């Protein structure tokens, strides 16, 4: 008897079936039990649901039970199917594929079909989403419903699938890296390899991408829906406000809801994200088809993240979004390898989310854990220093804890001010602090009220200072310290392996500082430095955005002012403010002000090099903004009025100003003195913290090369 073509296809399909041992064992057990049950297989498109149902049908036939397979999309009426194709037999095995419409699953199959089947029938359903919640909560279904979520194949099964398809070993390695165990993608790799095409590697070929997208994605209603899907592939996670920024629309709700309904899009604590394979396919296709659109999406995402540091005070959200910002740099050959825990997408973010940082400086048992980790990697003397610094007010130690609640790492921060307390009897004798203070005294140019932040210790319990989720979380948390909490003038960051980290540090504008290197426990540590007065926080983030898009990131130099920033001391600054007030309303009254080259003004200037007019306008706005703050304060309102009639909208003479205020001359002058002092205080605080109403602004800078040394100048 000759074989039919259908029989040959069934045989070939079974010979190509690999993996799914857990699912197969569960179905075999239900077959052997002979009792009624409903198996619900669910997972994203291309994950192998149809193949698994074919396999279930073969298992049923081998067990001597009649198996009926239906495609949900081809069923006009289940009433007709019950009459024509579904036999009324107790040993029936019914398999329905493509049950992707939740209304069909809920109303037709659940309420009309299943109750009419024989009591001992075994039913296998397959769809992209889990069954409706009503099924799982209905007591009648307890013990009958068996959920089988499908995920990617593991590496061994993936390799076996490619081997059975005749894919060479060298091509297998490339295919495994791209497909991540996704059965359809593995099959496509085999197809392309069989036809002599390029295998999918780090840059998968367009034909693979197009085939993946055609099979995995739902129909796209409009071009803007397509952009929403493309945008979700470029960011770590997508929220509705972020999507609005990426699409440049006022209301992104329809597009966000559509994304949430796609089978290839998954939900998490941070928002929604495409399945990793879908993300890779979309990203590769967009990179190949429209690189300019891809770059534009990155710019919009970066701008959105930066706004969170200027328009919101949600510290937890700010800390979380730093991982999203870092994810934009995943393709960088310089820092991409250093961001591996973030670059892994949703899986990497989940690993980070399972870690936590102590809410405040540690003591007691948590401090003991930190000391133990320090002793393991840097010796007993390091542990003693961690303990001794915990007693000092300028030092803070934080632990990173794993999901088991045990310390997985820690870091210690020390604030170093201009007035050194090094001679105090209880200050630890620390070689790192000695080296940092020595450099600061000679080159740091700290002014009264400014501090340098020394990251004295930072390490993972298991990986020390190697790339790891703990190291990545510490890096992100330190970045938040720099940008919001401490707002140091200078950050000093030591590494046990400075040569390994030097390219990454140069990328983020942390310059190598051999003059501050130190030796501890027989190991030489290399120091790096960033001067936030030279490149303030938002200018720094803007620079990183430009470097992320540049073919050679080091061609993007830190934003530079036409001249180095001037570092005025407190008295010089106060005198410059008094001069600025006297020239505030004159057309050229601020032209020669020393404040024009300070951090106060640089932080308020637009991106790029600001010219004289822009700097004068920024200084005038800074003075008026500080005056407005005084006006808004009931305690400062009288002082503001004196300033207002003297400098902001000046009367002809001070006597006339006193008359307008209906004050004796002596009282007027007292209010004016207080007003000048309070205005100077507000401007000085802005100068120390980075300038600008938004914690620094683009355009402040100096230096002549990426990672170059801080460049500031003393007044002549």
């Amino acid at each position: 008897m000759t074989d039919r073509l259908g029989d040959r296809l069934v045989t070939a399909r079974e010979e190509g079936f690999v993996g799914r041992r857990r699912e197969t064992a569960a179905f075999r057990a239900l077959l052997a039990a002979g009792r009624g049950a409903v198996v619900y297989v669910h997972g994203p498109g291309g994950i192998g649901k149809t193949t698994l149902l074919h396999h279930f049908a073969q298992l049923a036939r081998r067990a001597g039970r009649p198996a009926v397979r239906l495609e949900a999309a081809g069923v006009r009426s289940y009433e007709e199917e019950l009459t024509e194709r579904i036999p009324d037999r107790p040993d029936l095995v019914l398999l329905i594929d493509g049950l992707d419409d939740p209304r069909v699953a809920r109303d037709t199959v659940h309420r009309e079909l299943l109750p009419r089947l024989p009591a001992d029938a075994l039913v296998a359903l397959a769809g992209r989403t889990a069954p409706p919640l009503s099924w799982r909560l209905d007591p009648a279904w307890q013990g009958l419903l068996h959920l089988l979520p499908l995920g990617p194949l593991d590496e061994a099964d993936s390799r076996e699938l490619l081997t059975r398809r005749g894919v060479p070993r060298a091509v297998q390695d490339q295919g495994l890296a791209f497909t991540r165990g996704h059965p359809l993608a593995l099959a496509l790799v085999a197809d392309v390899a069989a036809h002599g095409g390029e295998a999918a590697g780090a840059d998968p070929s367009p034909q693979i991408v197009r085939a993946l997208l055609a099979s995995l994605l739902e129909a796209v209603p409009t071009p803007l829906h397509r952009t929403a899907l493309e945008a979700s592939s470029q960011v770590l996670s997508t929220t509705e406000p972020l999507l609005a920024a990426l699409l440049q629309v006022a209301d992104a709700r329809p597009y966000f809801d559509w994304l949430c309904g796609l089978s290839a899009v998954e939900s998490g604590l941070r928002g929604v994200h495409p399945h990793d394979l879908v993300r890779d396919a979309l990203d590769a296709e967009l990179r190949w088809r429209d690189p300019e659109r891809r770059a534009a999406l990155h710019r919009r995402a970066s701008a959105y993240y930066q706004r969170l540091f200027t328009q919101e005070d949600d510290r937890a959200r700010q800390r979380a979004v730093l991982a999203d910002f870092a994810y934009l740099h995943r393709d960088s050959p310089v820092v991409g390898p250093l961001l591996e825990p973030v670059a892994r997408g949703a899986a990497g973010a989940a690993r980070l989310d399972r870690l936590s940082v102590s809410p405040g400086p540690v003591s007691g048992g948590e401090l003991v854990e930190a000391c133990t980790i320090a002793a393991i990697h840097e010796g007993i003397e390091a542990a003693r220093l961690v303990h001794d610094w915990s007693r000092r007010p300028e030092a803070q130690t934080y632990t990173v804890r794993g999901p088991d609640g045990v310390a997985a790492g820690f870091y210690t921060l020390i604030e170093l001010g201009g007035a050194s307390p090094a001679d105090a009897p209880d200050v630890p004798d620390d070689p790192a602090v000695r080296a940092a203070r020595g450099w600061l005294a000679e080159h740091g140019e700290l002014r009264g009220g400014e501090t340098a932040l020394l990251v004295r210790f930072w390490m993972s319990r298991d990986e020390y200072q190697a790339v790891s989720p703990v190291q990545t979380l510490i890096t992100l948390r330190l970045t938040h310290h720099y940008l919001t909490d401490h707002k140091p003038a200078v950050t000093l960051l030591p590494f046990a392996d400075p040569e390994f980290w030097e390219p990454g540090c140069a990328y983020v504008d942390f310059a190598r500082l051999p003059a501050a290197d130190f030796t501890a426990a027989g190991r030489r540590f290399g120091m790096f430095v960033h001067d936030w007065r030279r490149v303030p926080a938002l200018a720094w983030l803007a620079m990183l955005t430009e470097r992320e898009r540049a073919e050679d990131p080091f061609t993007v130099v830190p934003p530079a002012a036409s001249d180095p920033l001037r570092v005025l001391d407190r008295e010089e600054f106060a005198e410059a403010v008094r001069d600025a007030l006297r020239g505030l309303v004159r057309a050229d009254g601020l032209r020669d002000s020393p404040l024009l080259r300070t951090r106060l003004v640089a932080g308020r200037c637009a991106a790029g090099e600001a010219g004289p007019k822009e700097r004068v306008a920024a200084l005038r706005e800074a003075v008026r903004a500080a005056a407005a703050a005084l006006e808004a304060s009931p305690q400062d309102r009288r002082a503001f009025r004196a300033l207002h009639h003297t400098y902001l909208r000046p009367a002809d003479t001070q006597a006339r100003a006193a008359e307008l205020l209906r004050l004796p001359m002596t009282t007027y002058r007292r209010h004016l003195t207080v007003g000048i002092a309070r205005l100077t205080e507000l401007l000085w605080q802005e100068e120390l913290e980075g300038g600008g109403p938004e914690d620094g602004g683009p355009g402040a800078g100096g230096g002549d090369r990426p990672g170059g040394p801080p460049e500031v100048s003393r007044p002549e």
Side-chain angles (χ1 to χ4, degrees), residues 101-414:
D101 188 335
R103 292 172 300 176
V104 173
R106 181 183 67 245
D107 299 333
T108 307
V109 174
H110 182 216
R111 296 177 183 174
E112 299 178 14
L113 174 63
L114 297 182
R116 299 176 63 181
L117 295 177
D120 292 331
L122 177 57
V123 182
L125 309 174
R128 296 192 176 193
T129 59
L133 186 62
S134 59
W135 289 33
R136 290 170 275 170
L137 297 180
D138 189 342
W141 284 92
Q142 299 302 312
L144 291 177
L145 183 62
H146 302 266
L147 301 184
L148 291 182
L150 289 191
L153 299 173
D154 62 25
E155 183 175 350
D157 289 337
S158 299
R159 193 175 292 280
E160 182 182 352
L161 188 153
L162 292 177
T163 300
R164 292 189 184 187
R165 299 288 185 96
V167 179
R169 179 82 181 193
V171 178
Q172 289 183 19
D173 292 337
Q174 295 174 341
L176 290 174
F178 167 61
T179 60
R180 301 183 183 180
H182 195 283
L184 173 62
L186 289 165
L188 288 169
V189 168
D191 288 343
V192 173
H195 290 85
E198 297 179 359
D203 187 18
S205 57
Q207 61 265 38
I208 288 181
V209 173
R210 285 196 295 269
L212 283 171
L213 291 177
S215 177
L216 295 175
L217 304 179
E218 304 284 353
V220 179
T222 69
L224 204 54
H225 285 82
R226 175 74 187 204
T227 302
L229 193 53
E230 291 171 339
S232 72
S233 73
Q234 298 306 306
V235 295
L236 185 58
S237 58
T238 303
T239 61
E240 190 175 320
L242 171 59
L243 187 61
L246 295 175
L247 299 182
Q248 296 184 312
V249 298
D251 181 11
R253 171 64 66 85
Y255 309 102
F256 186 77
D257 289 346
W258 175 79
L259 278 180
C260 293
L262 290 179
S263 60
V265 174
E266 302 172 352
S267 299
L269 295 176
R270 295 169 174 265
V272 299
H273 58 270
H275 181 278
D276 284 343
L277 181 69
V278 177
R279 183 198 295 275
D280 288 348
L282 280 167
D283 184 36
E285 197 267 348
L286 185 61
R287 187 197 307 266
W288 164 76
R289 181 175 56 83
D290 195 347
E292 292 183 1
R293 184 199 293 270
R294 186 176 186 270
L297 290 171
H298 279 227
R299 283 196 300 271
R300 295 169 194 170
S302 179
Y304 174 81
Y305 300 144
Q306 292 180 52
R307 283 198 296 273
L308 291 180
F309 284 91
T310 64
Q311 298 177 359
E312 295 188 14
D313 195 29
D314 185 342
R315 296 301 177 88
R317 177 64 179 138
Q318 289 174 347
R319 287 193 290 265
V321 85
L322 283 172
D324 298 73
F325 186 84
Y327 183 73
L328 296 177
H329 299 258
R330 62 192 179 277
D331 295 331
S332 167
V334 179
V335 296
L338 307 181
L339 297 172
E340 187 271 337
V342 172
R344 292 181 59 192
R351 292 174 66 189
L352 288 182
D353 289 340
R354 287 194 291 270
L355 301 172
S356 62
V357 177
S358 57
V362 300
S363 60
E366 290 182 308
L367 179 61
V368 171
E369 290 178 304
C371 292
T372 301
I373 295 172
I376 291 172
H377 294 291
E378 295 187 10
I380 296 299
E381 180 61 20
R384 184 188 65 79
L385 286 172
V386 173
H387 177 269
D388 290 350
W389 277 117
S390 71
R391 301 176 176 178
R392 294 289 307 173
E394 68 268 29
Q396 298 176 323
T397 293
Y398 300 84
T399 56
V400 177
R401 316 197 76 75
D404 56 0
V406 178
F410 81 97
Y411 59 95
T412 297
L413 308 177
I414 302 176

Side-chain angles (χ1 to χ4, degrees), residues 363-715:
S363 60
E366 290 182 308
L367 179 61
V368 171
E369 290 178 304
C371 292
T372 301
I373 295 172
I376 291 172
H377 294 291
E378 295 187 10
I380 296 299
E381 180 61 20
R384 184 188 65 79
L385 286 172
V386 173
H387 177 269
D388 290 350
W389 277 117
S390 71
R391 301 176 176 178
R392 294 289 307 173
E394 68 268 29
Q396 298 176 323
T397 293
Y398 300 84
T399 56
V400 177
R401 316 197 76 75
D404 56 0
V406 178
F410 81 97
Y411 59 95
T412 297
L413 308 177
I414 302 176
E415 285 190 349
L416 305 176
S420 170
D423 297 332
D426 60 341
V427 172
D429 183 16
D430 189 330
V433 174
R434 286 201 308 272
R437 288 195 186 281
W439 181 82
L440 289 168
E442 188 171 352
H443 304 289
E445 305 288 5
L446 291 184
R447 299 168 291 182
E450 288 185 334
T451 60
L453 183 66
L454 171 64
V455 184
R456 176 58 184 96
F457 296 101
W458 66 273
M459 63 189 74
S460 161
R461 178 192 62 207
D462 299 327
E463 294 90 1
Y464 186 38
Q465 291 187 356
V467 175
S468 69
V470 171
Q471 168 270 326
T472 300
L473 183 60
I474 290 175
T475 299
L476 297 177
R477 187 55 65 93
L478 289 176
T479 302
H480 190 259
H481 277 290
Y482 308 153
L483 299 182
T484 59
D485 294 338
H486 290 265
K487 295 183 180 178
V490 173
T491 294
L492 297 161
L493 181 59
F495 290 87
D497 186 0
E499 288 74 23
F500 173 80
W501 290 99
E502 187 163 5
C505 285
Y507 183 95
V508 297
D509 198 39
F510 272 67
R512 184 73 172 87
L513 196 63
D517 288 357
F518 63 94
T519 300
R523 174 187 288 162
R524 187 164 185 82
F525 289 79
M527 192 74 79
F528 293 80
V529 64
H530 179 83
D531 192 321
W532 300 101
R533 300 165 298 185
R534 181 174 63 92
V535 182
L538 295 188
W540 180 73
L541 291 174
M543 177 200 71
L544 294 183
T545 298
E546 293 299 319
R547 288 187 170 181
E548 182 265 321
R549 298 197 304 268
E551 183 174 347
D552 179 359
F554 295 114
T555 60
V556 179
V557 299
S562 56
D563 296 300
L565 295 184
R566 295 187 68 167
V567 181
L568 305 176
D569 63 27
R570 184 66 172 80
E571 292 182 2
E572 293 165 334
F573 187 89
E575 180 59 35
V577 170
R578 288 191 289 271
D579 288 341
L581 285 171
R582 287 190 285 268
L584 189 65
V585 297
R586 298 202 309 271
D588 60 349
L590 301 178
R591 183 184 59 189
D592 299 320
S593 173
L595 298 174
L596 295 177
R597 288 169 52 196
T598 61
R599 193 182 184 194
L600 167 72
V601 171
R604 286 178 168 267
C605 290
E609 294 191 7
K613 289 183 179 179
E614 289 79 11
R615 288 182 168 272
V616 166
L619 175 55
R620 186 171 281 116
E621 173 58 28
V623 173
R624 294 190 182 279
L630 295 181
E631 183 183 17
S633 169
Q635 295 89 341
D636 294 318
R637 202 158 289 157
R638 289 183 298 181
F640 163 77
R641 291 184 183 125
L643 281 173
H644 178 81
H645 288 292
T646 308
Y647 298 119
L648 302 178
R649 287 194 175 181
D652 294 337
T653 63
Q654 288 194 355
R656 175 58 179 158
E659 181 181 337
L660 290 171
L661 293 170
R662 298 178 181 179
L663 294 174
M665 197 66 181
T666 53
T667 304
Y668 156 75
R669 285 175 175 166
R670 184 171 69 253
H671 289 178
L672 181 61
T673 299
V674 172
I676 294 173
R678 288 288 292 123
L679 184 83
T680 302
E681 182 181 343
L682 292 177
L683 293 174
W684 177 248
Q685 191 62 34
E686 189 173 327
E687 163 77 2
L688 295 182
E689 292 186 355
E694 300 180 347
D695 186 24
D704 55 2
R705 63 180 178 85
E711 183 179 346
V712 294
S713 67
R714 301 295 295 175

